[in-house]
Amino acid sequence: MKRFAILSFLIVFVSVLPAKSQFCFSDCETCFADTAIQSHSLLFHIDDKSFFVDNEYKGEKTYGYSLPGFRLTPSLFYALNEKISLEAGVSMLRYHGANRYPCVIYSYFPAWQAYQFLSGVHLIPYFRALWNISPAIHFSFGNIDNQNSHLLPEPLYNVEHTFSSDPEAGVQFRLNKPHQYLDAWLNWQSFVFANDIHQETFTLGVNWQTKLDIVKEKFRLLVPLSLIVQHLGGENLSGDFSVCTWSNIAAGMRLDYKHNRLISSIGADYLYYNQAGESDIMPFENGWAVYPYIELAYQKLKVKFAYYDSEDFVSLLGSPHFCNFSTNTPDLVFDRSNQFYVRATYSYDIYNGCSFDAYFQLFRQNHLTGDRPGFDKVIRDGFTSFSFGIILNINHSILLKHF
């Protein structure tokens, strides 16, 4: 009854709002979030994402949970000239009702072990040095921009990382030209000192998109290629750890058709998973998945219908729904499985840099079978899970002084 009430409310909610802007799922166009800043300007910047997320999950794949809270990042921004800028501040994550936060990177990775805690709020420094090589080429050190989820397909990147996980940090190179888009980044998640008790971990990501205009402003062919590599290693540690590297690769094709304000898309992605090294963290050494979809976009309202078929697949940064193993039942792995996926996003522009966003996801898992050592064959009929989130985005700058 609770699930039906929440679902009914969300359908009504999404249907009555006027379409204005977008949330952080993949878009039909690509752009940089950075705006032109006058040289020798000092600004106070506020980036706040206040969110409420409800994940109503059913079945043996993963637990459901809610995320009520905010991520606030106040910072000082200084532009030396039109090429070089610096930003420094602090990132604060607060879940309403939580008083104790483990000192780990807040991102999906099953090997993390917390041994220190913070009270009241999860607090980390924020720093970014940006080099605008040209209007179309950016190179940055420090915290990484992932406001658009790196434009990765949904099976590879969970949208929750954008507002609830720690800001990614390392180096990032982005190129945005009329027919080429590239986002390459290195997210260093765990630094180790001598005799440390945890391992070194980093994630390498690449999203390269080639765009070809078949009929200008009407038909566009998009050929995306994505790579995610996650490494767990390190030397001179206090314990005996195994070294392992996991990778996700996605290759696809998409055709966009634009008619007035309506954009319709049809496409498909082939995804591959591989494990290099000996580790019992993941249950599979390699696997695959296919992801055909259609998408409709009217102004800033987007609805996507997809089919997902997978075998022995592990999504390193995606939702557990796209994995062929359970995150809430130990040692339970699933046979080849398939599901229907629906995603809707919606946004309303309130003020310059401020928006109210909503999203909805539905996972319709078809007949599912699996195995667990010491138990009978797991057989489950189809079941439905869904999640929705509402987010108030405030991204605003105040000029303090121009030198």
Side-chain angles (χ1 to χ4, degrees):
M1 191 67 183
K2 174 188 174 185
R3 291 163 58 86
F4 177 79
I6 294 175
L7 180 59
S8 300
F9 165 78
L10 187 67
I11 293 175
V12 174
F13 175 77
V14 170
S15 65
V16 299
L17 285 176
K20 288 273 188 172
S21 61
Q22 77 173 75
F23 187 48
C24 47
F25 281 97
S26 300
D27 193 9
C28 295
E29 299 292 336
T30 55
C31 62
F32 290 155
D34 306 284
T35 56
I37 300 296
Q38 188 176 1
S39 300
H40 306 295
S41 299
L42 178 65
L43 298 92
F44 176 66
H45 182 71
I46 299 175
D47 183 8
D48 173 66
K49 289 178 173 58
S50 299
F51 51 84
F52 178 80
V53 175
D54 185 34
N55 296 322
E56 294 290 330
Y57 296 156
K58 182 180 180 181
E60 284 78 8
K61 273 202 167 183
T62 185
Y63 287 116
Y65 56 91
S66 297
L67 292 175
F70 64 86
R71 177 172 287 283
L72 174 64
T73 307
S75 63
L76 291 175
F77 182 96
Y78 180 68
L80 284 73
N81 54 31
E82 69 279 2
K83 296 287 187 179
I84 298 293
S85 60
L86 298 172
E87 185 177 7
V90 62
S91 179
M92 297 174 283
L93 177 65
R94 167 72 177 177
Y95 293 125
H96 302 313
N99 296 312
R100 195 165 178 255
Y101 294 81
C103 296
V104 297
I105 297 295
Y106 284 22
S107 181
Y108 173 68
F109 197 82
W112 288 126
Q113 295 181 358
Y115 58 94
Q116 291 179 330
F117 290 85
L118 287 171
S119 297
V121 67
H122 180 59
L123 188 69
I124 58 173
Y126 184 92
F127 176 80
R128 188 177 184 215
L130 177 65
W131 176 20
N132 295 319
I133 301 174
S134 73
I137 304 175
H138 292 183
F139 188 52
S140 60
F141 290 85
N143 288 107
I144 292 171
D145 181 13
N146 70 331
Q147 298 297 313
N148 58 3
S149 299
H150 295 294
L151 296 181
L152 291 168
E154 291 86 354
L156 290 191
Y157 200 91
N158 194 338
V159 67
E160 289 182 7
H161 295 315
T162 305
F163 51 83
S164 63
S165 296
D166 284 345
E168 298 173 354
V171 294
Q172 183 179 32
F173 177 83
R174 293 186 298 167
L175 178 146
N176 188 19
K177 292 190 174 183
H179 299 290
Q180 294 288 331
Y181 175 84
L182 174 65
D183 184 359
W185 70 97
L186 176 66
N187 178 25
W188 206 275
Q189 297 168 274
S190 177
F191 181 86
V192 297
F193 293 96
N195 298 315
D196 222 327
I197 65 174
H198 63 92
Q199 289 185 268
E200 171 186 271
T201 302
F202 62 83
T203 298
L204 172 69
V206 177
N207 185 4
W208 180 30
Q209 300 182 4
T210 301
K211 297 170 282 186
L212 303 174
D213 290 326
I214 301 175
V215 179
K216 190 174 182 180
E217 298 183 355
K218 285 291 184 181
F219 285 97
R220 167 172 282 186
L221 180 66
L222 184 72
V223 182
L225 179 63
S226 305
L227 170 68
I228 294 178
V229 177
Q230 198 162 47
H231 177 72
L232 187 64
E235 300 179 3
N236 195 18
L237 302 175
S238 62
D240 184 18
F241 297 99
S242 59
V243 176
C244 199
T245 302
W246 301 270
S247 59
N248 280 155
I249 301 174
M253 187 174 293
R254 189 182 83 200
L255 181 65
D256 297 336
Y257 171 68
K258 184 177 182 181
H259 178 70
N260 296 328
R261 296 182 179 182
L262 177 66
I263 300 177
S264 57
S265 305
I266 182 170
D269 292 309
Y270 176 81
L271 304 102
Y272 177 73
Y273 157 78
N274 179 260
Q275 172 181 290
E278 296 182 1
S279 173
D280 58 358
I281 295 177
M282 302 298 184
F284 311 117
E285 291 190 359
N286 54 71
W288 59 269
V290 291
Y291 184 61
Y293 59 86
I294 59 174
E295 184 173 12
L296 300 174
Y298 180 75
Q299 293 184 349
K300 299 302 180 179
L301 168 66
K302 301 188 195 324
V303 182
K304 189 171 192 174
F305 304 91
Y307 178 77
Y308 183 77
D309 188 12
S310 62
E311 183 175 6
D312 296 345
F313 188 78
V314 175
S315 177
L316 300 176
L317 297 177
S319 168
H321 290 283
F322 296 113
C323 295
N324 281 78
F325 67 94
S326 174
T327 62
N328 62 4
T329 304
D331 302 322
L332 175 58
V333 296
F334 301 112
D335 302 322
R336 179 174 174 176
S337 63
N338 53 73
Q339 62 182 304
F340 293 99
Y341 172 72
V342 179
R343 179 261 289 166
T345 63
Y346 207 73
S347 189
Y348 176 79
D349 289 336
I350 303 173
Y351 183 66
N352 185 24
C354 303
S355 65
F356 181 74
D357 302 308
Y359 74 89
F360 170 71
Q361 297 180 99
L362 184 144
F363 306 87
R364 174 57 188 176
Q365 178 68 55
N366 297 326
H367 182 76
L368 188 66
T369 61
D371 295 285
R372 186 184 182 194
F375 293 84
D376 294 335
K377 186 76 173 182
V378 176
I379 302 175
R380 295 290 182 271
D381 293 329
F383 54 87
T384 301
S385 300
F386 69 90
S387 69
F388 76 89
I390 52 177
I391 303 97
L392 179 62
N393 289 288
I394 300 176
N395 197 320
H396 190 66
S397 297
I398 302 171
L399 178 63
L400 298 180
K401 186 174 179 60
H402 178 68
F403 297 95

PDB file of all heavy atoms in Angstrom, residues 178-179 211-221:
ATOM      1  N   PRO A 178      32.138  20.584 -31.693  1.00  0.00           N
ATOM      2  CA  PRO A 178      30.867  20.259 -32.358  1.00  0.00           C
ATOM      3  C   PRO A 178      30.662  18.777 -32.652  1.00  0.00           C
ATOM      4  O   PRO A 178      29.540  18.277 -32.570  1.00  0.00           O
ATOM      5  CB  PRO A 178      30.940  21.088 -33.653  1.00  0.00           C
ATOM      6  CG  PRO A 178      31.794  22.260 -33.290  1.00  0.00           C
ATOM      7  CD  PRO A 178      32.820  21.723 -32.334  1.00  0.00           C
ATOM      8  N   HIS A 179      31.729  18.054 -32.966  1.00  0.00           N
ATOM      9  CA  HIS A 179      31.561  16.650 -33.334  1.00  0.00           C
ATOM     10  C   HIS A 179      32.343  15.691 -32.440  1.00  0.00           C
ATOM     11  O   HIS A 179      32.371  14.493 -32.713  1.00  0.00           O
ATOM     12  CB  HIS A 179      31.975  16.438 -34.794  1.00  0.00           C
ATOM     13  CG  HIS A 179      31.154  17.219 -35.763  1.00  0.00           C
ATOM     14  ND1 HIS A 179      29.831  16.928 -36.021  1.00  0.00           N
ATOM     15  CD2 HIS A 179      31.454  18.314 -36.513  1.00  0.00           C
ATOM     16  CE1 HIS A 179      29.349  17.792 -36.895  1.00  0.00           C
ATOM     17  NE2 HIS A 179      30.309  18.645 -37.209  1.00  0.00           N
ATOM     18  N   LYS A 211      30.016  12.697 -32.657  1.00  0.00           N
ATOM     19  CA  LYS A 211      28.696  13.150 -33.092  1.00  0.00           C
ATOM     20  C   LYS A 211      28.750  13.521 -34.572  1.00  0.00           C
ATOM     21  O   LYS A 211      29.572  14.335 -34.986  1.00  0.00           O
ATOM     22  CB  LYS A 211      28.254  14.354 -32.256  1.00  0.00           C
ATOM     23  CG  LYS A 211      28.084  14.035 -30.778  1.00  0.00           C
ATOM     24  CD  LYS A 211      27.878  15.283 -29.942  1.00  0.00           C
ATOM     25  CE  LYS A 211      29.186  16.006 -29.693  1.00  0.00           C
ATOM     26  NZ  LYS A 211      29.022  17.147 -28.755  1.00  0.00           N
ATOM     27  N   LEU A 212      27.854  12.919 -35.349  1.00  0.00           N
ATOM     28  CA  LEU A 212      27.808  13.152 -36.789  1.00  0.00           C
ATOM     29  C   LEU A 212      26.427  13.668 -37.168  1.00  0.00           C
ATOM     30  O   LEU A 212      25.408  13.020 -36.872  1.00  0.00           O
ATOM     31  CB  LEU A 212      28.108  11.858 -37.557  1.00  0.00           C
ATOM     32  CG  LEU A 212      29.444  11.169 -37.241  1.00  0.00           C
ATOM     33  CD1 LEU A 212      29.520   9.831 -37.960  1.00  0.00           C
ATOM     34  CD2 LEU A 212      30.614  12.061 -37.631  1.00  0.00           C
ATOM     35  N   ASP A 213      26.383  14.824 -37.806  1.00  0.00           N
ATOM     36  CA  ASP A 213      25.115  15.392 -38.258  1.00  0.00           C
ATOM     37  C   ASP A 213      24.756  14.808 -39.613  1.00  0.00           C
ATOM     38  O   ASP A 213      25.403  15.089 -40.633  1.00  0.00           O
ATOM     39  CB  ASP A 213      25.223  16.917 -38.347  1.00  0.00           C
ATOM     40  CG  ASP A 213      25.324  17.568 -36.982  1.00  0.00           C
ATOM     41  OD1 ASP A 213      24.701  17.036 -36.046  1.00  0.00           O
ATOM     42  OD2 ASP A 213      26.022  18.585 -36.849  1.00  0.00           O
ATOM     43  N   ILE A 214      23.727  13.967 -39.623  1.00  0.00           N
ATOM     44  CA  ILE A 214      23.247  13.378 -40.883  1.00  0.00           C
ATOM     45  C   ILE A 214      22.442  14.418 -41.660  1.00  0.00           C
ATOM     46  O   ILE A 214      22.659  14.637 -42.849  1.00  0.00           O
ATOM     47  CB  ILE A 214      22.417  12.121 -40.597  1.00  0.00           C
ATOM     48  CG1 ILE A 214      23.270  11.098 -39.829  1.00  0.00           C
ATOM     49  CG2 ILE A 214      21.884  11.521 -41.898  1.00  0.00           C
ATOM     50  CD1 ILE A 214      22.497   9.884 -39.402  1.00  0.00           C
ATOM     51  N   VAL A 215      21.509  15.045 -40.985  1.00  0.00           N
ATOM     52  CA  VAL A 215      20.774  16.193 -41.503  1.00  0.00           C
ATOM     53  C   VAL A 215      20.875  17.287 -40.451  1.00  0.00           C
ATOM     54  O   VAL A 215      20.422  17.099 -39.321  1.00  0.00           O
ATOM     55  CB  VAL A 215      19.297  15.852 -41.792  1.00  0.00           C
ATOM     56  CG1 VAL A 215      18.563  17.091 -42.302  1.00  0.00           C
ATOM     57  CG2 VAL A 215      19.194  14.719 -42.796  1.00  0.00           C
ATOM     58  N   LYS A 216      21.481  18.397 -40.797  1.00  0.00           N
ATOM     59  CA  LYS A 216      21.763  19.438 -39.827  1.00  0.00           C
ATOM     60  C   LYS A 216      20.497  19.873 -39.102  1.00  0.00           C
ATOM     61  O   LYS A 216      19.464  20.151 -39.720  1.00  0.00           O
ATOM     62  CB  LYS A 216      22.408  20.640 -40.514  1.00  0.00           C
ATOM     63  CG  LYS A 216      22.961  21.665 -39.538  1.00  0.00           C
ATOM     64  CD  LYS A 216      23.710  22.771 -40.250  1.00  0.00           C
ATOM     65  CE  LYS A 216      24.293  23.768 -39.246  1.00  0.00           C
ATOM     66  NZ  LYS A 216      25.031  24.856 -39.932  1.00  0.00           N
ATOM     67  N   GLU A 217      20.610  19.888 -37.741  1.00  0.00           N
ATOM     68  CA  GLU A 217      19.526  20.295 -36.848  1.00  0.00           C
ATOM     69  C   GLU A 217      18.306  19.386 -36.935  1.00  0.00           C
ATOM     70  O   GLU A 217      17.241  19.724 -36.420  1.00  0.00           O
ATOM     71  CB  GLU A 217      19.113  21.749 -37.110  1.00  0.00           C
ATOM     72  CG  GLU A 217      20.227  22.756 -36.852  1.00  0.00           C
ATOM     73  CD  GLU A 217      19.764  24.185 -37.042  1.00  0.00           C
ATOM     74  OE1 GLU A 217      18.606  24.368 -37.468  1.00  0.00           O
ATOM     75  OE2 GLU A 217      20.557  25.105 -36.762  1.00  0.00           O
ATOM     76  N   LYS A 218      18.468  18.216 -37.564  1.00  0.00           N
ATOM     77  CA  LYS A 218      17.364  17.255 -37.622  1.00  0.00           C
ATOM     78  C   LYS A 218      17.795  15.879 -37.126  1.00  0.00           C
ATOM     79  O   LYS A 218      17.272  15.380 -36.133  1.00  0.00           O
ATOM     80  CB  LYS A 218      16.835  17.163 -39.051  1.00  0.00           C
ATOM     81  CG  LYS A 218      15.991  18.330 -39.491  1.00  0.00           C
ATOM     82  CD  LYS A 218      14.652  18.371 -38.765  1.00  0.00           C
ATOM     83  CE  LYS A 218      13.777  19.488 -39.290  1.00  0.00           C
ATOM     84  NZ  LYS A 218      12.471  19.564 -38.565  1.00  0.00           N
ATOM     85  N   PHE A 219      18.750  15.269 -37.799  1.00  0.00           N
ATOM     86  CA  PHE A 219      19.219  13.934 -37.455  1.00  0.00           C
ATOM     87  C   PHE A 219      20.681  13.998 -37.026  1.00  0.00           C
ATOM     88  O   PHE A 219      21.507  14.611 -37.706  1.00  0.00           O
ATOM     89  CB  PHE A 219      19.083  12.976 -38.650  1.00  0.00           C
ATOM     90  CG  PHE A 219      17.678  12.535 -38.924  1.00  0.00           C
ATOM     91  CD1 PHE A 219      16.922  13.167 -39.895  1.00  0.00           C
ATOM     92  CD2 PHE A 219      17.111  11.484 -38.207  1.00  0.00           C
ATOM     93  CE1 PHE A 219      15.637  12.765 -40.157  1.00  0.00           C
ATOM     94  CE2 PHE A 219      15.816  11.076 -38.464  1.00  0.00           C
ATOM     95  CZ  PHE A 219      15.066  11.710 -39.441  1.00  0.00           C
ATOM     96  N   ARG A 220      20.974  13.347 -35.914  1.00  0.00           N
ATOM     97  CA  ARG A 220      22.352  13.270 -35.430  1.00  0.00           C
ATOM     98  C   ARG A 220      22.649  11.845 -34.973  1.00  0.00           C
ATOM     99  O   ARG A 220      21.853  11.229 -34.246  1.00  0.00           O
ATOM    100  CB  ARG A 220      22.597  14.238 -34.282  1.00  0.00           C
ATOM    101  CG  ARG A 220      23.898  13.993 -33.539  1.00  0.00           C
ATOM    102  CD  ARG A 220      24.215  15.060 -32.526  1.00  0.00           C
ATOM    103  NE  ARG A 220      24.740  16.257 -33.185  1.00  0.00           N
ATOM    104  CZ  ARG A 220      25.212  17.312 -32.515  1.00  0.00           C
ATOM    105  NH1 ARG A 220      25.195  17.306 -31.191  1.00  0.00           N
ATOM    106  NH2 ARG A 220      25.676  18.348 -33.170  1.00  0.00           N
ATOM    107  N   LEU A 221      23.792  11.340 -35.416  1.00  0.00           N
ATOM    108  CA  LEU A 221      24.250  10.018 -35.001  1.00  0.00           C
ATOM    109  C   LEU A 221      25.324  10.195 -33.941  1.00  0.00           C
ATOM    110  O   LEU A 221      26.302  10.922 -34.138  1.00  0.00           O
ATOM    111  CB  LEU A 221      24.811   9.248 -36.190  1.00  0.00           C
ATOM    112  CG  LEU A 221      25.341   7.836 -35.887  1.00  0.00           C
ATOM    113  CD1 LEU A 221      24.200   6.920 -35.450  1.00  0.00           C
ATOM    114  CD2 LEU A 221      26.066   7.270 -37.098  1.00  0.00           C
TER     115      LEU A 221
END
